[in-house]
């Protein structure tokens, strides 16, 4: 029987040494294994669209955090959530910057980060330095993750033995960072510990000189134990503590005059405690069993006095069958989430069964299929008043085929059925009434709106050579009851778009020009349309979904010689309608986004010296919500420099 324990240790240690000591004299491109899907495969053999970034890709970018990396290196669109840079808005494949984050699942080692309310995923709780790989699966993933995987899944993988190092950097605006990473392993044990702290004095200021200062501290410890060659036991604990001040919107004139200004700040304290427990047992060479449990407790508290306590518990198990010409995964998922407010408790509970299989029809043809059945239950329990309940039964399907054209290239086609159950905030509407010279907010029950359902169609081509990696994908998505939020006058409302659709082209190419020089391109063309929306009496019919850029580009040019590395990158997103402009008639549009970044690094023995300039040409960038509601983002040149010492 293969010694799984030693195999895993050997791969982990050798890979770490190769990266740490830079033994590769010339880079070569190769097929990367997709490890976060239900059934492990390679990007060349996958029956769905993949976009994969290794630890080397992440390290070369010299990005500050996960949001920075996704925004500047991938096809994912990122924007601060109404000025909040710690819980930023995410969009993939044209669901809009307003609600896109609820249509993509973000997971860390299989644990979903999606919330039960309108709060975006908290990627600031993950240190970029701790990540081994990021796998983006587009237009698929609903069989594995279910609720919310309409656009796809962003899988973040941190498993493996950490390097031992200390890292620090300093930048403008009083930016400071310190990171300590420790890892130890032997034949029976892998132990990791991680501490990361970042703070900044901020970029926007009030008339009295107060600024939007921020701090973020993440701590993590993980233990993997192999009592036998066939059994792996895992336990981990993560703690995050964030204190952030973020500024409100500006009018267009204020933004043009001085994007650094602010009339005041919202202050939020956020704490998160996560405990993960898991096990993998290899029954034989052909059968294995995975079991994972997670307990997360969060506190969100604002300076206004409003606070919420979250209690999330999730469970999943999977039975794996692996034969010579087929693989099967069968499992169950469970999630229970409570949000305890000052006057109510709201619960969302998910239970699911799933099965997924892959069959090698011939040496060149791979077929895949999967299904998921999920039950979602809601309970709203006010401290006074009537308790409300609702139940949903939802189904996901996935069918794909991959055909190898030759040793280096393949084509694939995929159909995926996905869904999004409404979050708990979608059931309420807010109205502001003028009383005594000020507006009083009144919240009323909006009704249990419909879940969104989408049919995804994908067609792709992959070609991987030693010096070039090319991926071309065509996609189309047909939706019913796409969920959205709009504001009309003094009423905020959540409702459904009856029919909508999206289609587009995705292109990725990385080319090694010579031993020292490489270039990469990531381009997506997206059309997102509202087909039919009855609540607006047809006013939105045929309109573009707001907050979606048609053209999205990230370009990279990298140069490596001896121990010196430099990367010049540019991110561009074309103009779009403001996030609330469903009728496409606001006088102000979302302006095009431009940012050019330059990073430099030099390795000397166990020391790495690095520096980066972001938004090199000092471009003005912002998020438009509506007329004269402009939130500046990445609107000035920033820079930082630091040192990493390995031991």
């Amino acid at each position: 029987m293969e010694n799984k324990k030693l195999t895993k240790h050997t791969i982990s240690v050798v890979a770490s040494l190769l990266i740490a000591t830079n033994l590769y004299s010339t880079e070569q491109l190769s097929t990367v294994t997709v490890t976060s899907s239900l059934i492990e495969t390679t990007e060349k053999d996958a029956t769905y669209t993949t976009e994969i970034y290794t630890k080397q890709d992440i390290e070369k970018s010299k990005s500050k955090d996960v949001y920075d990396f996704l925004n500047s290196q991938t096809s994912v669109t990122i924007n601060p959530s109404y000025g909040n840079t710690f819980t930023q808005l995410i969009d993939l494949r044209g669901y809009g910057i307003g609600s896109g984050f609820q249509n993509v699942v973000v997971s860390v080692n299989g644990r979903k980060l999606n919330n039960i309310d309108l709060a975006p995923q908290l990627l600031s709780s993950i240190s970029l330095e701790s990540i081994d790989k990021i796998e983006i699966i587009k237009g698929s993933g609903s069989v594995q993750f279910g609720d919310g995987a309409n656009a796809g899944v962003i899988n973040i993988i941190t498993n493996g033995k950490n390097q031992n190092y200390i890292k620090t950097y300093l930048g403008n605006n009083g930016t400071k960072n310190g990171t300590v990473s420790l890892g130890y392993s032997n034949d029976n044990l892998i132990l990791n510990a991680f501490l990361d702290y970042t703070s900044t004095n901020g970029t926007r200021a009030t008339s009295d000189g107060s600024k939007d200062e921020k701090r973020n501290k993440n701590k993590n410890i993980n233990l993997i134990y192999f009592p036998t060659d066939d059994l792996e036991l895992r336990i981990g604990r993560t703690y995050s503590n964030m204190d952030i001040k973020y500024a409100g919107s500006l009018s267009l004139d204020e933004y043009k005059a001085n994007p650094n200004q602010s009339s005041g700040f919202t202050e939020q304290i956020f704490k998160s405690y996560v405990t993960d427990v898991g096990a993998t047992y290899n029954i034989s060479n052909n059968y294995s069993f995975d079991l994972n449990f997670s307990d997360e407790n969060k506190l969100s508290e604002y300076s206004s006095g409003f606070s919420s306590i979250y209690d999330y518990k999730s469970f999943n198990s999977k039975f794996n069958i692996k034969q010579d010409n087929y693989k099967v995964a069968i499992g169950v998922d469970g999630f229970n989430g409570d949000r305890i407010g000052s006057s109510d408790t709201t619960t969302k509970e998910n239970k699911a069964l799933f099965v997924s299989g892959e069959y090698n029809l011939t040496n060149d043809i791979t077929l895949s299929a999967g299904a998921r059945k999920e039950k979602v239950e809601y309970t709203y329990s006010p401290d006074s008043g009537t308790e409300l309940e609702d139940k949903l039964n939802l189904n996901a399907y996935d069918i794909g085929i991959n055909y190898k054209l030759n040793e280096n290239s393949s084509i694939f086609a995929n159909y995926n059925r996905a869904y999004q159950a409404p979050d708990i905030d979608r059931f309420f509407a807010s109205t502001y009434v003028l009383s005594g010279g000020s507006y009083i907010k009144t919240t009323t029950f909006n009704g249990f709106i419909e879940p969104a359902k989408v049919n995804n169609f994908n067609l792709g081509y992959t070609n991987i050579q030693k010096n070039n990696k090319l991926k071309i994908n065509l996609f189309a998505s047909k939706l019913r009851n796409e969920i959205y939020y709009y504001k009309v006058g003094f009423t905020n409302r959540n409702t459904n778009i009856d029919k909508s659709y999206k289609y587009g082209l995705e292109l990725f190419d990385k080319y090694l020009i010579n031993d020292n020089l490489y270039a990469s391109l990531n381009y997506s063309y997206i059309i997102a349309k509202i087909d039919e929306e009855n609540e607006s009496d047809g006013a939105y019919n045929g309109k573009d979904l707001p907050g979606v850029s048609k053209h999205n580009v990230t370009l990279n040019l990298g140069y490596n010689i001896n121990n010196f590395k430099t990367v010049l990158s540019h991110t561009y997103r074309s103009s779009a309608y403001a996030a609330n402009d469903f009728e496409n008639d606001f006088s102000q549009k979302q302006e095009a986004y431009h940012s050019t970044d330059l990073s430099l690094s030099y390795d000397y023995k166990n020391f790495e010296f690095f520096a980066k300039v972001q938004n090199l040409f000092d471009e003005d960038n912002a998020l438009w919500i509506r007329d004269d509601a402009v939130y500046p983002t990445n609107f000035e040149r920033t820079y930082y420099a630091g040192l990493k010492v390995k031991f």
Side-chain angles (χ1 to χ4, degrees):
M1 182 180 294
E2 181 184 4
N3 191 322
K4 173 189 172 188
K5 176 173 57 181
L6 293 178
T7 300
K8 290 183 68 177
H9 287 179
T10 301
I11 293 173
S12 176
V13 172
V14 170
S16 298
L17 287 172
L18 288 173
I19 294 171
T21 57
N22 196 25
L23 292 178
Y24 292 119
S25 58
T26 59
E27 182 182 6
Q28 289 188 350
L29 300 178
S30 60
T31 298
V32 179
T33 300
V34 185
T35 57
S36 61
S37 58
L38 280 174
I39 296 177
E40 191 172 292
T41 186
T42 68
E43 56 183 334
K44 190 171 64 178
D45 297 332
T47 59
Y48 46 82
T49 308
T50 61
E51 187 178 331
I52 302 175
Y53 299 91
T54 65
K55 193 171 188 67
Q56 281 183 293
D57 297 324
I58 296 169
E59 289 183 342
K60 284 180 181 178
S61 73
K62 301 304 172 192
S63 300
K64 281 185 178 179
D65 53 36
V66 182
Y67 292 120
D68 181 21
F69 180 82
L70 292 174
N71 194 52
S72 64
Q73 303 295 314
T74 77
S75 62
V76 180
T77 298
I78 302 289
N79 262 304
S81 178
Y82 304 94
N84 188 336
T85 57
F86 279 4
T87 53
Q88 300 198 36
L89 301 171
I90 303 170
D91 186 28
L92 180 68
R93 281 196 167 182
Y95 281 82
I97 202 62
S99 299
F101 68 93
Q102 294 198 317
N103 291 274
V104 58
V105 167
V106 181
S107 76
V108 178
N109 300 326
R111 177 177 64 87
K112 290 174 69 171
L113 297 188
N114 295 52
N115 287 298
I116 65 172
D117 57 10
L118 273 170
Q121 299 91 337
L122 187 67
L123 272 64
S124 295
S125 64
I126 312 159
S127 174
L128 188 66
E129 286 283 335
S130 68
I131 297 175
D132 282 343
K133 187 164 54 172
I134 297 176
E135 299 178 350
I136 304 174
I137 298 173
K138 296 185 279 190
S140 186
S142 60
V143 170
Q144 180 175 5
F145 289 100
D147 186 8
N150 287 353
V153 184
I154 302 172
N155 291 312
I156 298 172
I157 301 160
T158 65
N159 290 335
K161 178 182 177 294
N162 285 356
Q163 296 180 32
N164 295 302
Y165 65 84
I166 298 174
K167 176 185 174 184
T168 185
Y169 65 76
L170 299 173
N172 63 330
N173 299 316
T175 299
K176 298 184 288 291
N177 170 268
T179 302
V180 178
S181 173
L182 300 172
Y184 170 80
S185 68
N186 58 34
D187 287 346
N188 297 94
L189 185 73
I190 299 176
L191 178 63
N192 293 319
F194 199 88
L195 174 63
D196 180 66
Y197 177 83
T198 303
S199 66
T200 178
N201 292 340
T203 57
R204 296 180 62 185
T206 59
S207 57
D208 63 2
S210 299
K211 300 189 71 175
D212 54 340
E213 58 189 11
K214 311 170 183 69
R215 65 174 180 85
N216 180 17
K217 180 166 63 177
N218 294 311
K219 295 187 291 186
N220 174 264
I221 185 167
N222 284 290
L223 174 66
I224 304 175
Y225 177 58
F226 301 90
T228 70
D229 290 349
D230 300 314
L231 179 61
E232 175 182 315
L233 303 176
R234 302 177 294 272
I235 185 169
R237 177 75 167 170
T238 301
Y239 167 72
S240 299
N241 188 350
M242 305 172 197
D243 189 347
I244 179 173
K245 292 180 180 178
Y246 56 96
S249 64
L250 299 175
S251 69
L252 181 60
D253 289 341
E254 290 171 333
Y255 167 68
K256 294 296 184 182
N258 179 16
N260 293 88
Q261 65 179 300
S262 173
S263 59
F265 304 111
T266 298
E267 183 172 1
Q268 182 185 17
I269 295 173
F270 201 99
K271 297 180 181 180
S272 172
Y273 304 83
V274 182
T275 301
D276 293 303
V277 180
T280 298
Y281 179 58
N282 291 327
I283 303 169
S284 68
N285 288 336
N286 302 113
Y287 303 96
S288 64
F289 183 73
D290 293 305
L291 181 67
N292 295 283
F293 173 79
S294 176
D295 185 5
E296 181 177 12
N297 296 283
K298 297 189 288 188
L299 169 67
S300 175
E301 189 171 23
Y302 291 88
S303 53
S304 63
F306 177 80
S307 65
S308 294
I309 297 173
Y310 299 84
D311 183 14
Y312 292 173
K313 290 179 172 59
S314 58
F315 165 85
N316 67 76
S317 64
K318 183 177 61 150
F319 180 66
N320 306 286
I321 303 171
K322 183 179 179 181
Q323 300 292 341
D324 291 338
N325 61 341
Y326 71 88
K327 302 174 186 176
V328 177
I330 306 169
V332 298
D333 261 347
F335 171 82
N336 185 282
D338 294 330
R339 185 183 68 181
I340 304 169
S342 58
S343 60
D344 56 43
T345 298
T346 310
T347 300
K348 183 181 180 184
E349 184 176 5
N350 298 58
K351 299 175 184 177
L353 299 170
F354 61 83
V355 59
S356 182
E358 184 180 283
Y359 178 65
N360 297 322
L361 185 63
T362 68
N363 289 334
D364 298 324
I365 300 176
T366 301
L367 304 176
S368 68
R372 179 186 183 96
K373 185 174 184 60
E374 186 160 356
K375 183 178 181 180
V376 185
E377 297 181 285
Y378 299 92
T379 304
Y380 171 64
S381 303
D383 292 347
S384 61
T386 304
E387 184 175 271
L388 303 172
E389 295 181 348
D390 194 31
K391 296 180 182 179
L392 299 172
N393 289 291
L394 301 165
N395 300 303
Y397 309 101
D398 195 276
I399 302 171
I401 182 171
N402 181 292
Y403 177 66
K404 294 180 183 177
L405 299 172
N406 52 49
E407 182 181 352
N408 303 109
S409 62
S410 64
I411 58 175
F412 70 87
N414 176 272
Y415 163 74
N416 174 266
R417 168 70 175 245
Y419 52 84
Q420 178 206 347
D423 72 80
I424 61 176
D425 284 337
R426 298 293 189 178
F427 302 133
F428 301 94
S430 299
T431 303
Y432 294 83
V433 179
L434 184 63
S435 177
S438 60
Y439 286 97
I440 305 299
K441 179 181 177 181
T442 302
T443 300
T444 57
F445 183 64
N446 187 45
F448 291 110
I449 63 175
E450 294 296 319
K453 297 178 181 179
V454 56
N455 293 306
N456 293 306
F457 303 90
N458 302 276
L459 179 65
Y461 170 76
T462 302
N463 189 306
I464 301 177
Q465 311 279 345
K466 288 184 178 181
N467 67 336
N468 192 69
K469 180 178 289 190
L470 172 66
K471 296 182 180 182
I472 303 173
N473 305 301
L474 296 172
F475 74 90
S477 300
K478 188 175 181 180
L479 295 94
R480 280 191 173 274
N481 298 317
E482 184 172 2
I483 300 170
Y484 75 101
Y485 161 90
Y486 73 94
K487 182 176 181 179
V488 178
F490 292 100
T491 299
N492 302 334
R493 187 167 172 81
N494 295 284
T495 187
N496 298 103
I497 298 172
D498 298 88
K499 297 179 182 179
S500 55
Y501 62 89
K502 312 174 195 301
Y503 63 87
L505 165 72
E506 297 163 333
L507 170 65
F508 173 85
D509 188 69
K510 184 175 183 180
Y511 178 55
L512 306 183
I513 301 169
N514 56 41
D515 288 350
N516 307 110
L517 186 66
Y518 72 88
S520 68
L521 165 68
N522 201 327
Y523 170 74
S524 59
Y525 172 77
I526 300 172
I527 296 295
K529 289 283 189 179
I530 300 171
D531 198 19
E532 182 180 328
E533 207 287 327
N534 293 323
E535 187 165 324
S536 65
D537 296 325
Y540 302 164
N541 293 358
K543 305 296 185 180
D544 288 342
L545 187 73
V548 178
S549 297
K550 289 183 180 179
H551 304 280
N552 303 268
V553 183
T554 59
L555 290 166
N556 283 274
L557 183 65
Y559 182 71
N560 309 323
I561 184 168
N562 298 326
N563 296 324
F564 175 81
K565 303 181 184 70
T566 181
V567 178
L568 179 67
S569 62
H570 183 78
T571 303
Y572 167 78
R573 293 194 291 268
S574 61
S575 63
Y577 291 103
N580 286 355
D581 189 8
F582 287 89
E583 291 192 55
N584 298 173
D585 63 354
F586 288 2
S587 61
Q588 299 173 21
K589 291 186 69 175
Q590 170 81 48
E591 291 182 354
Y593 178 95
H594 290 274
S595 183
T596 303
D597 300 346
L598 176 64
S599 67
L600 305 166
S601 65
Y602 177 74
D603 294 320
Y604 176 73
K605 295 184 178 178
N606 293 332
F607 297 87
E608 180 190 10
F609 303 90
F610 61 90
K612 186 170 185 177
V613 182
Q614 295 179 292
N615 197 1
L616 182 64
F617 300 109
D618 206 21
E619 297 278 357
D620 289 338
N621 295 302
L623 170 65
W624 263 259
I625 301 300
R626 54 188 180 277
D627 287 346
D628 285 331
V630 183
Y631 291 85
T633 173
N634 193 21
F635 55 88
E636 64 179 11
R637 184 186 301 112
T638 59
Y639 54 85
Y640 55 93
L643 171 67
K644 183 176 182 179
V645 183
K646 303 170 186 175
F647 56 89

